[in-house]
């Protein structure tokens, strides 16, 4: 159920800039340390300037005393040969040294460091993305802008904000206008559906009705878990249909939903394995893209806000180990599965309702793979999320919340090979925290006779 959250304004501000359109928490962590380094560099510059000014001040005070004496009786002062010599020396040498001291550039170290660090700074696009992420969170979780600006994250009983800061209002209006233009184009050409890289994504033409359900589920509202349905859900030990590797140490399996059947497995990945996977993925993280099946052009989209990378078994033994474990649990072969995808959703990061499998109107979505359609999805949660970030299924009203080390599994296709359209799902915006997941998409080829019997297909 929704609860009241309080987040310090500094943390909230940092998080909002966090991952928005193009940045993720891992990168923002680096920026925090980079900013700390710049502050230290700035302090060193200040100390250098203070030291320089102290020397100049000392020189000025000394010369003030000397010139006061010399100007009071110039002839008498110069009558002494040493004073005459010192005057010449000062004007020929000492004042030149002072000039060099004054002209000494103590900014070099700071400016050099700033120049190096600037190449990693967020861009104008990131700043705009941060504003959009804020609006996305405000809209999805019904957050009041005034309360939000103070760092309070209220429960969903809070009334939807009627207004927002001018800057955010302008951006929101602009985004809505762009969406209306998209809808107009789609109405005249309904065959142009964007497809996820290595997969498929459909953005419905009539989007608002589903959005209401999707956002309600994200807030923990509208979950259709009736007492009757609850009685159908059980916990058990799972040995992968008597897989020899799991007979001694079976996995804990919990039913999340009865039809379509969605299960959660516990202790699938250890903390050490998770950190290793994240370590491998971070250098390769790139903004998740979608592919248009007509043009084949990859592009970023506002409805998929995350960064992802793909890991091969040759990258590290832990990848092969995790892949093998998923095969043992599901009984499905990983030989024809896609690479392990690792995704990072930061503040406002989301993936709006989509199908993992390709539909009849896009038969070539996985043609290049030659392994058939995506028969099943195995989703590993590699972090806990403080607020938001649920995996929701709008069709039947289910919400599954991230739990570090667990994984959820479901079939995308019926045994007939037809797509189960009820499995349309979404990754809710991350409200507080950062969400790490990895997933494996199993394909039809090689799994024709491996799918276990007895699973419910229809209500």
């Amino acid at each position: 159920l929704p609860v009241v959250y309080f987040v310090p304004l500094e943390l909230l501000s940092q998080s909002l800039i966090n991952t928005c359109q193009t940045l993720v928490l891992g990168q923002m962590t680096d920026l925090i340390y980079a900013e700390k380094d710049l502050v230290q560099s700035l302090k060193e510059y200040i100390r250098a300037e203070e030291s320089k000014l102290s020397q100049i001040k000392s020189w000025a005070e000394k010369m003030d005393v000397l010139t006061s004496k010399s100007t009071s009786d110039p002839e008498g002062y110069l009558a002494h040969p040493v004073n005459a010599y010192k005057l010449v020396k000062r004007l020929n040498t000492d004042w030149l040294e002072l000039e060099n001291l004054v002209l000494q550039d103590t900014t070099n170290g700071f400016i050099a460091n700033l120049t190096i660090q600037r190449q990693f700074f967020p861009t104008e696009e990131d700043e705009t993305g941060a504003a959009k992420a804020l609006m996305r969170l405000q809209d999805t979780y019904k957050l009041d802008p005034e309360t939000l600006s103070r760092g309070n994250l209220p429960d969903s009983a809070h009334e939807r904000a009627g207004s927002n800061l001018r800057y955010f209002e302008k951006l929101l209006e602009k985004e809505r206008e762009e969406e209306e233009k998209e809808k107009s184009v789609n109405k005249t050409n309904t065959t142009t559906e964007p497809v996820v890289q290595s997969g498929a994504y459909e953005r419905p033409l009539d989007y608002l009705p589903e959005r209401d359900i999707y956002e309600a589920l994200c807030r923990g509202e509208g979950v259709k878990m009736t007492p009757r349905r609850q009685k159908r859900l059980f916990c058990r030990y799972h040995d992968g249909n008597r897989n020899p590797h799991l007979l001694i140490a079976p996995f804990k399996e919990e039913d999340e939903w009865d039809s379509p059947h969605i299960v959660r497995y516990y202790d699938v990945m250890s903390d050490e394995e998770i950190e290793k996977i994240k370590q491998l993925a971070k250098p390769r993280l790139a903004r998740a893209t979608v592919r248009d099946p007509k043009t084949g052009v990859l592009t970023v989209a506002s409805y998929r806000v995350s960064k992802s990378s793909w890991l091969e078994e040759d990258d590290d033994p832990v990848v092969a180990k995790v892949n093998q474990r998923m095969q043992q649990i599901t009984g499905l072969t990983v030989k024809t599965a896609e690479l392990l995808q690792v995704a990072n959703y930061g503040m406002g990061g989301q993936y709006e309702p989509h199908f993992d499998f390709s539909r009849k109107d896009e038969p070539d979505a996985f043609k290049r793979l030659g392994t058939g359609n995506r028969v099943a999805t195995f989703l590993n949660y590699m972090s806990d999320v403080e607020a938001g970030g649920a995996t929701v299924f709008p069709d039947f009203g289910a919400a599954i919340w991230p739990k570090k080390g667990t994984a959820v599994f479901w079939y995308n296709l019926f045994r007939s090979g037809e797509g189960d359209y009820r499995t349309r799902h979404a990754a809710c915006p991350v409200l507080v925290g950062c969400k790490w997941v990895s997933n494996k998409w199993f394909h039809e080829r090689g799994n024709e006779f491996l799918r276990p019997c007895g699973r419910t297909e229809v209500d």
Side-chain angles (χ1 to χ4, degrees):
L1 294 177
V3 294
V4 178
Y5 299 96
F6 177 78
V7 181
L9 184 58
E10 310 91 272
L11 174 60
L12 179 64
S13 302
Q14 162 199 323
S15 299
L16 286 170
I17 297 175
N18 195 329
T19 50
C20 329
Q21 293 289 336
T22 55
L23 297 176
V24 292
L25 186 62
Q27 293 170 316
M28 289 302 298
T29 301
D30 294 339
L31 289 180
I32 287 176
Y33 287 111
E35 187 172 44
K36 177 66 174 178
D37 182 63
L38 284 176
V39 171
Q40 294 301 321
S41 181
L42 181 60
K43 287 182 176 179
E44 291 174 5
Y45 160 68
I46 293 172
R47 284 193 292 269
E49 281 290 317
E50 288 176 340
S51 175
K52 171 181 168 181
L53 289 174
S54 177
Q55 294 179 60
I56 296 173
K57 183 180 179 181
S58 176
W59 168 266
E61 290 174 348
K62 183 178 71 173
M63 292 306 300
D64 184 45
V65 172
L66 193 151
T67 54
S68 294
K69 180 180 179 181
S70 63
T71 55
S72 65
D73 183 11
E75 293 184 2
Y77 177 82
L78 292 174
H80 198 296
V82 173
N83 287 342
Y85 165 75
K86 286 185 176 181
L87 175 62
V88 173
K89 179 180 179 298
R90 282 198 305 272
L91 294 175
N92 184 58
T93 304
D94 296 353
W95 278 98
L96 179 60
E97 291 177 355
L98 179 65
E99 179 184 6
N100 291 334
L101 176 62
V102 172
L103 294 176
Q104 182 181 339
D105 190 356
T106 58
T107 65
N108 287 340
F110 171 69
I111 295 300
N113 192 12
L114 182 61
T115 302
I116 293 173
Q117 299 287 5
R118 186 178 285 117
Q119 61 183 313
F120 305 110
F121 281 9
T123 63
E124 184 176 347
E125 179 187 3
D126 296 322
E127 184 178 347
T128 301
K132 290 184 177 180
L134 179 61
M135 292 184 293
R136 186 182 306 120
L137 294 175
Q138 180 185 326
D139 190 54
T140 301
Y141 296 105
K142 294 185 176 181
L143 305 177
D144 179 271
E146 183 178 350
T147 304
L148 181 63
S149 67
R150 293 198 301 266
N152 293 304
L153 301 183
D155 61 19
S156 58
H158 223 277
E159 294 184 2
R160 182 180 296 271
S163 60
N164 202 343
L165 299 176
R166 289 184 180 179
Y167 177 58
F168 296 140
E169 283 181 331
K170 290 180 181 178
L171 286 175
L172 181 58
E173 185 61 33
K174 183 179 180 182
E175 190 175 50
R176 284 175 177 166
E177 290 176 359
E178 291 175 354
E179 286 183 356
E180 289 300 321
K181 290 180 182 178
E182 277 187 34
K183 289 181 181 179
S184 299
V185 173
N186 286 337
K187 285 180 181 178
T188 59
N189 184 7
T190 58
T191 60
T192 304
E193 283 189 349
V195 181
V196 178
Q197 185 176 4
S198 297
Y201 183 97
E202 175 192 65
R203 190 176 192 186
L205 297 177
D206 188 10
Y207 201 64
L208 289 179
E210 185 180 45
R211 177 179 287 278
D212 290 340
I213 298 173
Y214 156 56
E215 292 183 350
L217 289 171
C218 289
R219 297 191 298 270
E221 305 167 2
V223 178
K224 301 176 182 178
M225 181 54 69
T226 63
R228 181 181 178 184
R229 169 163 272 130
Q230 184 73 48
K231 291 179 181 179
R232 303 177 191 170
L233 307 182
F234 300 93
C235 297
R236 64 188 72 82
Y237 282 103
H238 175 75
D239 60 11
N241 299 307
R242 300 193 65 78
N243 184 295
H245 296 89
L246 303 185
L247 286 176
I248 298 177
F251 283 92
K252 289 176 285 186
E253 181 185 75
E254 178 184 15
D255 292 331
E256 287 281 356
W257 207 261
D258 59 336
S259 180
H261 195 206
I262 303 174
V263 295
R264 186 194 293 265
Y265 296 104
Y266 287 81
D267 302 319
V268 175
M269 295 177 67
S270 67
D271 289 347
E272 292 75 19
E273 289 172 331
I274 288 174
E275 289 308 310
K276 185 61 178 180
I277 292 293
K278 288 165 61 176
Q279 178 186 339
L280 293 169
K282 281 180 180 179
R284 312 179 190 188
L285 287 175
R287 176 74 188 278
T289 56
V290 296
R291 186 191 301 275
D292 189 305
K294 270 197 163 186
T295 65
V297 176
L298 291 173
T299 182
V300 297
S302 61
Y303 46 86
R304 189 178 193 191
V305 185
S306 67
K307 286 207 169 186
S308 64
S309 63
W310 302 81
L311 301 182
E312 301 185 44
E313 292 195 352
D314 293 340
D315 292 332
D316 192 273
V318 73
V319 179
K321 188 176 181 180
V322 170
N323 282 346
Q324 188 64 28
R325 189 175 302 142
M326 289 186 284
Q327 176 173 289
Q328 293 169 356
I329 291 174
T330 63
L332 302 175
T333 180
V334 295
K335 291 182 179 179
T336 56
E338 294 176 49
L339 299 179
L340 183 68
Q341 181 182 220
V342 181
N344 182 205
Y345 298 81
M347 179 61 60
Q350 64 168 1
Y351 193 178
E352 292 184 354
H354 63 282
F355 297 106
D356 281 350
F357 64 90
S358 64
R359 277 80 67 212
K360 292 181 180 179
D361 53 356
E362 48 178 34
D364 297 334
F366 305 113
K367 184 176 181 180
R368 64 181 183 83
L369 298 178
T371 53
N373 211 341
R374 286 175 175 166
V375 67
T377 298
F378 196 101
L379 177 63
N380 296 296
Y381 292 117
M382 302 200 303
S383 66
D384 293 313
V385 180
E386 295 177 58
T391 304
V392 298
F393 295 78
D395 184 84
F396 49 90
I400 300 175
W401 303 93
K403 294 180 183 177
K404 186 178 181 181
T406 70
V408 291
F409 174 79
W410 68 85
Y411 281 96
N412 299 305
L413 308 179
F414 292 117
R415 293 186 191 89
S416 63
E418 292 292 319
D420 188 344
Y421 282 76
R422 299 172 301 171
T423 61
R424 184 175 174 83
H425 59 286
C428 294
V430 175
L431 181 57
V432 181
C434 189
K435 177 182 175 183
W436 281 91
V437 298
S438 61
N439 67 277
K440 176 69 70 173
W441 281 307
F442 292 94
H443 281 247
E444 293 178 288
R445 299 297 174 263
N447 290 312
E448 291 86 347
F449 305 104
L450 297 180
R451 179 171 180 175
C453 299
R455 293 268 172 104
T456 304
E457 291 189 350
V458 294
D459 288 325

